[in-house]
């Protein structure tokens, strides 16, 4: 009888152990399911934010490219006037063209979502490899674009503008935007001599080259934005 009781207790104990193990496994499975559900929701939220950010970035870049093209075309107009006669030269509003060519254009992309997922270590939330690959390309292209824009700004501020300071009137040039300090210069500078200098032509040529490089990087950025917007688009839309 004692052997039978021992056998029953052993079977009961084994049964209890099995039930406990099953309970633990079920609890782990439920916990994993909850974690996966939370991560999936976070991924959807991050993807939706990326989609919204890059739709906004598309608009920002479009406006920036319009300004870049205006500035670049203004400098091309100036370069085409190098060597022109006084009669031909003064048919143009040179102050206005100079003003447009020196536009201080800035571009601020919506990048908080990318920064947050990078800094918080949540980049692994994105299970879509296409999206992660595109975001890595975005970071790389952003650095290249910033370098090109910095070179353009440096050339304008360190070379072209200092060269023009003793040759044209910035006060008259600023009349295009009706700044309170702008107006007709009392010293009446003559713009004709500067348009007879090959140095001026060379400064413009190099400036336009820098604009072209910025424009190329922006056009590449535009294509990449379209890809990111498409890849992050909510399913069914």
């Amino acid at each position: 009888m004692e052997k039978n009781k021992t056998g029953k207790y052993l079977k009961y104990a084994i049964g209890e152990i099995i039930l406990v193990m099953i309970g633990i496994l079920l609890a782990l499975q439920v916990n994993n399911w909850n974690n996966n559900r939370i991560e999936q929701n976070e991924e959807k939220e991050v993807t939706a934010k990326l989609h919204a950010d890059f739709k906004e970035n598309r608009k920002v870049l479009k406006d920036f490219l319009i300004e870049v093209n205006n500035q670049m075309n203004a400098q091309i107009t100036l370069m085409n006037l190098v060597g022109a006669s006084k009669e031909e030269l003064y048919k143009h509003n040179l102050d206005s063209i100079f003003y447009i060519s020196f536009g201080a254009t800035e571009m601020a992309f919506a990048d908080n979502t990318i920064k947050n997922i990078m800094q918080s270590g949540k980049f692994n939330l994105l299970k879509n490899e296409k999206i992660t690959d595109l975001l890595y390309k975005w970071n790389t292209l952003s650095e290249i674009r910033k370098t090109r824009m910095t070179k353009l700004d440096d050339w304008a501020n360190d070379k072209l503008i200092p060269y023009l300071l003793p040759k044209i009137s910035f006060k008259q040039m600023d009349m295009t935007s009706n700044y309170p300090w702008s107006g007709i210069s009392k010293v009446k500078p003559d713009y004709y001599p500067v348009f007879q200098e090959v140095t001026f032509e060379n400064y413009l040529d190099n400036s336009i080259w820098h604009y072209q490089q910025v424009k190329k990087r922006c056009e590449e950025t535009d294509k990449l934005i379209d890809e990111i917007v498409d890849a992050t688009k909510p399913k069914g839309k």
Side-chain angles (χ1 to χ4, degrees):
M1 289 180 67
E2 288 182 0
K3 288 182 179 180
N4 289 335
K5 286 182 180 181
T6 301
K8 287 180 180 179
Y9 287 141
L10 185 60
K11 290 178 181 178
Y12 178 78
I14 292 172
E16 287 289 318
I17 293 171
I18 292 173
L19 287 174
V20 170
M21 291 178 65
I22 291 173
I24 293 171
L25 290 173
L26 286 173
L28 288 172
Q29 188 173 359
V30 170
N31 186 59
N32 288 337
W33 180 82
N34 282 331
N35 288 337
N36 289 336
R37 182 174 58 83
I38 291 170
E39 286 187 358
Q40 287 174 0
N41 289 336
E42 287 182 344
E43 181 184 14
K44 287 181 181 178
E45 184 179 351
V46 167
T47 303
K49 287 181 178 179
L50 286 170
H51 185 71
D53 283 354
F54 279 93
K55 284 181 72 175
E56 181 62 28
N57 289 342
R58 179 191 281 161
K59 296 176 185 176
V60 171
L61 182 60
K62 181 180 179 181
D63 292 340
F64 180 77
L65 272 171
I66 290 173
E67 292 299 319
V68 166
N69 280 321
N70 287 341
Q71 293 162 24
M72 183 175 173
N73 289 335
Q75 292 201 1
I76 291 173
T77 298
L78 291 173
M79 189 167 70
N80 289 338
L81 288 172
V82 172
S85 64
K86 276 193 175 183
E87 182 183 9
E88 175 62 27
L89 193 63
Y90 290 121
K91 288 179 181 178
H92 302 270
N93 186 338
L94 298 177
D95 289 316
S96 177
I97 300 172
F98 272 116
Y99 180 85
I100 295 170
S101 72
F102 293 138
T105 306
E106 296 180 350
M107 179 169 56
F109 282 131
D111 58 359
N112 285 338
T113 303
I114 293 181
K115 286 181 179 178
N116 287 339
I117 61 177
M118 290 289 190
Q119 294 171 0
S120 63
K122 291 185 176 181
F123 201 77
N124 58 348
L125 279 174
L126 299 172
K127 303 296 190 271
N128 189 321
E129 290 186 7
K130 183 177 181 181
I131 294 177
T132 56
D133 287 345
L134 290 172
L135 293 182
Y136 279 123
K137 287 181 182 179
W138 172 263
N139 286 336
T140 301
L141 184 54
S142 293
E143 292 303 315
I144 297 172
R145 189 181 59 252
K146 287 176 185 177
T147 299
R148 291 298 185 185
M149 290 172 66
T150 298
K151 288 183 176 181
L152 172 61
D153 288 341
D154 289 346
W155 178 259
N157 293 321
D158 299 339
K159 301 293 183 181
L160 181 56
I161 291 177
Y163 165 78
L164 288 171
L165 281 174
K167 302 176 184 294
I168 69 171
S169 170
F170 282 66
K171 180 181 179 182
Q172 287 186 185
M173 186 178 71
D174 287 341
M175 288 174 61
T176 303
S177 277
N178 295 315
Y179 291 133
W181 62 83
S182 64
I184 300 297
S185 175
K186 294 179 181 179
V187 297
K188 298 182 174 66
D190 182 7
Y191 290 3
Y192 177 73
V194 71
F195 282 88
Q196 307 309 308
E197 295 182 15
V198 70
T199 303
F200 180 47
E201 183 179 67
N202 289 336
Y203 271 120
L204 287 172
D205 182 84
N206 201 48
S207 182
I208 293 166
W209 183 86
H210 282 301
Y211 268 111
Q212 182 64 22
Q213 295 305 306
V214 169
K215 187 176 175 181
K216 282 183 179 179
R217 300 294 85 79
C218 286
E219 288 170 348
E220 291 171 10
T221 301
D222 190 41
K223 291 179 182 178
L224 185 55
I225 288 175
D226 284 342
E227 291 184 64
I228 295 174
V229 168
D230 186 63
T232 56
K233 184 167 57 178
K235 293 181 179 179
K237 290 189 178 181

